[in-house]
Each structure stands twice: as C-alpha cells, then as structure tokens.
Amino acid sequence: MLGNEAIARGAWEAGATFASAYPGTPSTEVMENLKKYEELYVEWAPNEKVSLEACFGASLSGNRSICSMKHVGLNVAADVLQTMTYTGINAGLVIVVADDPGMHSSQNEQDTRYFAKMSRAIVLEPSDSQEAKDLTKWAFEVSEETDLPVIIRSTTRLSHSSSIVELEDRVEVLKKDIDKRPEKYIVLPANARRLRANLDNKVKKAVSIFEKSNFNKIEGNGNTGVIACGVAYEHAREVFKYASFLKLSTTYPLPKSLISDFVRRFDRVYVIEESDPFVADEIRAMNLGVEIIGKEVFEPSLEMSPDLIRKTLFNVEAPKYDLPVLPRPPLFCAGCPHRGVYYALNKIRMKKKDLYITSDIGCYSLGALKPLDATDTIICMGASLGMAAGLAQNLKSDDGIKVVATLGDSTFTHAGLPGIAELAYNKAPVLVIILDNRTTAMTGHQGNPMSGIRARGDETDPIKIKKVLKGLGINHVKVVDPIDFKKLQKTIEKMLKLNEPCVIVSKRPCVLVERAQNVKYTVDEEKCKGCKICLNVACPAMSFNKDIKKVKIRADLCYGCRLCVDACLHGAIKQL
Ligand code: SF4
Ligand code: SF4
C-alpha cells in the first residue's frame, strides 16, 4: 500500500465517519483513498482551516474525524489548532500533515513538529505503510484518551512509497453523545485560563501513554546508539547495521524517561530524523551528558537518504552511475489554457510596458519560467493579491508600473477572497487575472467550490464568480475564453488602463479534463521562416528542426489551442 493509502485505511479501520481535506502534494492521496470507503462522509474543503474546523465540528457531534493537508496547509489551519488543544475534542480527531523535506513540490520545508510543540498537539510519525495504518488507527484512541488532536506527520517519501500492510477489520465505534459544554468550548478568557492550566496535564497523560507504548521500541545491542523516527528510521537501518536503536513513533511529546535510559548507555548518540533537528534539540535540552549528533550536521534542504547519512556522518561517497539523464524542464501542458495569459503578459512587457506581476501557488506557477517569464513573485496561497495591493498603493504615483496579480480558481476560494476585499475596500489599482480552469489541476483534478464538483464527483452549485466579485466591490469584471487569444490580449491591455481594481476571469477547463477543440495544427514548411517566434509560447508539442531550420509540431501532442497560430506572424501554422 502507498503510505497515504495506508493512512486512509487506518482511519477506516478505526471507525472514522467524517473526513475533510484540502488537496496538497504530498498529502492528496489520503483523501483520494478515503473516498473508497462508503462508511465515511468525505469532502474537499475550500482550505485547510475550514477542513480542520469541519472535523472539529464532526468530533463535537460525537463522530471520529480525520483531515489531511500538506505542511504549509497547517499554517492556514494553525489558528484553530492553537486553541483546539485548549478545548480538547469529543470523538477522536486526527490531522494528517505531510511534510516535504527537500521541497519536491513545495515552497518551503517547514517542520510540522514545531507547530505541535507550540500548540501541544500530539505527533505520531510512521516509518512505513504498516505503521502509517497502525498509528493512524491508534491515533483516534490516543486523541480520545488525552482529549487532544493527534497529528500524523508524514513526509513525501512515506506518503508516496509502498510497502506491505497487514489489514484488519473496521471497528464499529459507537457514536459519542454530542458535546455541548460551554465551559469547554467557549474560550472566553476566564474559560481559556482554566483550559490552559489543564493543557499541561493532558500533555503529561500523553507522555505516560508513550513511555509504555510498543510503537516506541529498542532494537539491537550494538555499541553505537541511534535514535530515529519517521521514514528516516528506514534509512538509518540501512546505514547502522549493527547499532542499538531507539525507534521513536511518538515525537511530541517525547517519552523522556525511555529516551534518557537509552541515551545514557552511550557516549555519543546519532539522531536521524527528517527536516529539522527537532528530536535532537529536545534531547540535548535534557542535559544527559552525552554527545548528540543530529540533523544540524546535514546540509539543509536535502531529503534524508542512506547515501546522505553515509556521506555526512562518515564521509563515504555514494557510487556514481554515468548514465545520461536528459533534462526535462517543467512546462505547461500542450493546449493548457493558462499559457495564453502569461504569453500575453510577456508580450505586453516586451512592448516596454512595465508590469509587476505577483502570482500564486498552482500549475500556473510555470508562467514564471522562460520563455513566458511573466511572474515576479510566488510566495504562498493567496499572497498574489495582498502583495499586489501593497505594491500598487506604493507604485500608483509612478505611472510607468502597473501591478497584475494572477491566481487560480481553487486558490481564489482558498485564500483569495480576503485579498479581493482588500483591493476593493482600499481601492488598490490592480488587474487581477483569475485562471479558472474548473478544477484543482496541480494536485490531480479535485473539485472545488468554483467548479461545483464535490469529492465523490456529484455536482453542487458552483460559486457565481461575477456576482461574488461585484458583491465584494469590484466594478470591472470581464470573463474571457483564453482560446480567443486576440480578445484576451485586448482585454488585458484595456483593463491595464483602468486606475482601480479590476478582474479578468480567464475561463476554460483544464486541457486534461476537456480538450479545447478536436483539431490539430501543423507547420507549413513553405511559409515557415524559421524565426522561432512561435516557440515563445513554450508548447511541448513544438520543436525546432535544426537541419531544415523550420518548426515542427507533433500532431500526437497538439491539443489545438491555436496559441501558436496567433503567435506566428507569417501565417505558417495551419490546421492539419
Ligand atoms: S513563428 Fe511561424 S514562421 Fe516563425 S518559426 Fe514559428 S511557424 Fe515558422
Ligand atoms: S495549437 Fe499550437 S500551441 Fe496549441 S497545443 Fe497545438 S502546437 Fe501547442
């Protein structure tokens, strides 16, 4: 089973009945697999905060609930997490957070365990798919016993690799009574102070459970001491073949007596973990008089691996294989409806119109890459709008620079609505382009409130974007089909002349969901001048034949979007 699939199985076996998530690599498959189980209500939420709040509500109603998100999603959900630990829960509540050490598909590699320590939420870290299933199942019991939410911390390598899992039956857990105690769930200061005092007792209870848990185990009797957790445990086992191991599955709060007894047996202990030296620092703070070597000696931003451990700790280089690997730079798909927007913005920039373009998190981040090269910032979900507001307010006296913000449809409902309110309320002269491709494409085409498709594929009312924008105070809203490139370009140029917030909705389904037209294009070699202007649209179906000095289009890759037709100044691209 895939790690994420095993997590979903664990939730099902534990009798969970409610699941809510916002997609984000590497966590998305947790919900995609929860959808397989009919016993669960499943939903995609507009963002991680709402997802966690929905699970909190389900817990208060008496049902075991699970939500999942990528690590940066926890920034969005942190507000509720920080107080949820004070109030506690009713039925067991599990939060799957998938970290991305090495940043394979993320903007940072923040370590979720610091959030857990700050909020005092529990963290369990599986090392393989079997543990992913078993720890998730156990997490619901721990949550109910301690009155705390439990985080299952996964990492990319665990979420996206497979190992054998022994399955068990589902436990039909009796629904708890609805919990309506105001002294527990209304955090007015008098209640909050009392709840805060009790929080430390809940953490102590968790520690006493973890000191005795079989999920934390001592293995081997070598002279070298190693403490490892998560998937890094598997890497450490490959390197330290004859060491004594303390395998930790509970990394917040730590079972300090167990750790202390183990560490004192050695002069030096290696702590192998993913992302930051979280466990190593906690052990150092215990002042056990033993040298602790942890993640701080590793080069930052590299995912842990057996080769990295050998190289960093023992200066042993991994064998080198002289295999040619062709570079494969990321590109928009052939026929992608986003391409035209960035091509148009790039053309406007080339005409010496100075644009500052803020963008956001999604497939359309690729608009930053050459030759499209039409993005100046990408920070986090929704930041395109707030940053554009600040830029525009400070640049508006400078006639030369116009500010454009681009973001996708899912990002718009995730974190874009407050940004639009900011632009409208404070009259920031920003052109916003919402790239509405009717899906959350980058994570695998999940539905969202703009598409009106729900988690199990059933339809609901989609957000009426024009009405929402007008209602928020945007006076100029245009909906354009980006396949009509000339109209799109003209609309952008016209809207850039406005001196107030305005929005273009570039609306066309993702080409992988619905192709633009059932036609293909080819190059007329007689007419082609070999000028390569069409290659600026960066379509993977197009290449330049150096021998004949003409552009070629691969018919099997062409999705018929026509963008190259509009780009060619010599009328050399025609329908096949
Ligand atoms: S823009 Fe037209 S003429 Fe120039 S290389 Fe492309 S197809 Fe040929
Ligand atoms: S029409 Fe041109 S730009 Fe569009 S997919 Fe085909 S080759 Fe690519």
Side-chain angles (χ1 to χ4, degrees):
M1 268 187 169
L2 201 67
N4 282 346
E5 188 182 2
I7 289 170
R9 174 74 190 197
W12 177 80
E13 287 185 5
T17 53
F18 185 93
S20 180
Y22 184 78
T25 310
S27 71
T28 311
E29 300 82 6
V30 174
M31 175 57 90
E32 295 290 10
N33 280 284
L34 283 165
K35 279 158 55 176
K36 291 180 189 165
Y37 301 110
E38 284 176 3
E39 294 87 345
L40 276 97
Y41 164 87
V42 294
E43 64 168 35
W44 293 118
N47 68 30
E48 296 84 355
K49 180 173 184 285
V50 177
S51 160
L52 182 51
E53 288 159 350
C55 285
F56 197 4
S59 165
L60 297 196
S61 79
N63 290 290
R64 286 187 167 182
S65 61
I66 180 166
C67 67
S68 78
M69 59 194 72
K70 67 182 291 170
H71 59 323
V72 286
L74 193 57
N75 299 337
V76 182
D79 206 3
V80 60
L81 179 70
Q82 298 299 326
T83 305
M84 176 194 270
T85 48
Y86 280 40
T87 66
I89 46 85
N90 181 23
L93 193 156
V94 172
I95 308 165
V96 182
V97 186
D99 288 4
D100 190 12
M103 295 168 280
H104 296 283
S105 54
S106 307
Q107 66 268 43
N108 72 36
E109 61 166 15
Q110 66 189 55
D111 189 323
T112 289
R113 297 172 297 181
Y114 293 111
F115 261 125
K117 188 177 178 186
M118 183 162 51
S119 64
R120 293 168 179 78
I122 287 167
V123 180
L124 307 181
E125 285 195 61
S127 64
D128 61 13
S129 296
Q130 181 71 57
E131 270 198 352
K133 198 264 297 174
D134 293 342
L135 281 176
T136 305
K137 189 173 181 181
W138 185 51
F140 287 93
E141 286 172 35
V142 174
S143 173
E144 286 168 7
E145 251 181 275
T146 57
D147 194 21
L148 286 168
V150 175
I151 293 173
I152 296 289
R153 183 200 185 217
S154 180
T155 52
T156 310
R157 203 58 47 181
L158 174 80
S159 284
H160 287 172
S161 56
S162 297
S163 58
I164 290 170
V165 178
E166 275 186 39
L167 305 180
E168 293 166 286
D169 291 334
R170 177 174 165 89
V171 183
E172 287 305 339
V173 185
L174 276 183
K175 180 182 174 306
K176 289 189 159 203
D177 289 339
I178 187 168
D179 196 349
K180 286 180 72 178
R181 285 173 287 167
E183 69 279 12
K184 191 166 189 282
Y185 298 112
I186 296 179
V187 283
L188 289 170
N191 284 341
R193 280 191 284 272
R194 194 177 32 74
L195 293 166
R196 170 65 188 88
N198 190 38
L199 183 54
D200 292 343
N201 295 330
K202 298 200 279 187
V203 174
K204 277 185 200 145
K205 184 157 192 190
V207 172
S208 70
I209 295 169
F210 297 160
E211 293 284 4
K212 291 177 277 188
S213 167
N214 291 334
F215 285 110
N216 296 321
K217 45 188 173 228
I218 293 175
E219 300 165 334
N221 56 3
N223 295 328
T224 305
V226 179
I227 296 178
C229 53
V231 77
Y233 163 78
E234 304 294 343
H235 302 320
R237 292 285 335 180
E238 273 193 47
V239 177
F240 297 95
K241 289 207 174 4
Y242 307 105
S244 295
F245 267 82
L246 170 55
K247 184 204 174 302
L248 280 179
S249 297
T250 64
T251 51
Y252 185 82
L254 285 171
K256 290 193 174 165
S257 299
L258 180 69
I259 290 172
S260 163
D261 290 347
F262 178 80
V263 168
R264 284 184 204 278
R265 288 165 46 193
F266 307 94
D267 298 328
R268 167 195 284 178
V269 168
Y270 296 97
V271 180
I272 308 297
E273 57 191 318
E274 275 293 18
S275 302
D276 287 343
F278 177 84
V279 173
D281 285 347
E282 291 278 308
I283 297 174
R284 267 188 214 103
M286 288 162 67
N287 261 330
L288 299 171
V290 174
E291 186 186 8
I292 304 295
I293 297 179
K295 190 73 200 304
E296 69 286 342
V297 302
F298 289 78
E299 198 180 319
S301 86
L302 292 180
E303 188 186 21
M304 193 60 87
S305 69
D307 286 348
L308 185 68
I309 298 171
R310 283 190 200 99
K311 180 163 183 265
T312 308
L313 298 182
F314 308 114
N315 207 19
V316 175
E317 288 286 347
K320 294 229 174 349
Y321 301 101
D322 198 15
L323 295 172
V325 180
L326 289 176
R328 192 169 167 266
L331 285 172
F332 283 122
C333 301
C336 172
H338 299 335
R339 175 177 280 107
V341 168
Y342 292 96
Y343 181 59
L345 291 172
N346 178 286
K347 278 183 77 171
I348 292 166
R349 270 184 162 175
M350 301 292 272
K351 282 195 240 162
K352 298 270 182 287
K353 177 91 189 152
D354 206 354
L355 301 180
Y356 200 113
I357 304 166
T358 59
S359 190
D360 235 294
I361 308 287
C363 292
Y364 49 88
S365 302
L366 297 172
L369 304 181
K370 288 185 191 320
L372 294 169
D373 196 15
T375 296
D376 296 306
T377 65
I378 299 174
I379 304 296
C380 64
M381 295 286 277
S384 60
L385 299 172
M387 290 179 73
L391 281 157
Q393 297 292 14
N394 285 282
L395 296 173
K396 65 184 170 190
S397 55
D398 182 343
D399 283 346
I401 303 182
K402 293 293 288 187
V403 181
V404 179
T406 63
L407 76 167
D409 48 351
S410 189
T411 311
F412 173 72
T413 49
H414 178 285
L417 287 161
I420 294 284
E422 152 78 0
L423 297 178
Y425 175 50
N426 290 312
K427 299 278 171 253
V430 172
L431 166 59
V432 178
I433 304 178
I434 299 175
L435 301 134
D436 180 5
N437 63 356
R438 320 304 297 150
T439 187
T440 311
M442 191 164 74
T443 46
H445 298 103
Q446 291 75 29
N448 63 52
M450 289 272 281
S451 72
I453 307 293
R454 303 203 313 159
R456 290 200 190 276
D458 53 317
E459 290 186 20
T460 184
D461 291 331
I463 283 186
K464 293 172 183 63
I465 181 80
K466 250 183 134 171
K467 284 190 178 166
V468 168
L469 292 166
K470 295 254 176 184
L472 283 167
I474 302 291
N475 297 322
H476 303 274
V477 179
K478 289 270 180 245
V479 180
V480 183
D481 183 344
I483 201 164
D484 187 345
F485 179 72
K486 289 200 170 97
K487 187 171 175 195
L488 171 71
Q489 191 177 359
K490 263 192 205 143
T491 309
I492 293 174
E493 281 170 351
K494 206 167 143 197
M495 298 285 252
L496 279 172
K497 291 190 182 126
L498 296 172
N499 206 23
E500 60 178 301
C502 50
V503 178
I504 295 172
V505 182
S506 169
K507 189 169 176 181
R508 159 73 50 186
C510 169
V511 69
L512 299 184
V513 174
E514 186 183 316
R515 62 179 301 158
Q517 344 183 58
N518 202 15
V519 293
K520 292 175 182 295
Y521 287 86
T522 188
V523 174
D524 181 338
E525 288 183 4
E526 295 292 314
K527 291 187 180 170
C528 178
K529 310 279 184 230
C531 65
K532 299 190 196 172
I533 286 174
C534 56
L535 296 184
N536 287 331
V537 306
C539 175
M542 306 177 77
S543 60
F544 190 70
N545 185 325
K546 284 184 189 153
D547 297 331
I548 57 170
K549 297 197 171 37
K550 310 277 178 193
V551 161
K552 287 267 177 206
I553 292 177
R554 269 186 60 172
D556 57 334
L557 293 182
C558 175
Y559 274 81
C561 73
R562 275 191 54 89
L563 190 58
C564 56
V565 181
D566 287 310
C568 177
L569 302 174
H570 305 283
I573 301 181
K574 59 182 187 185
Q575 202 171 315
L576 191 63

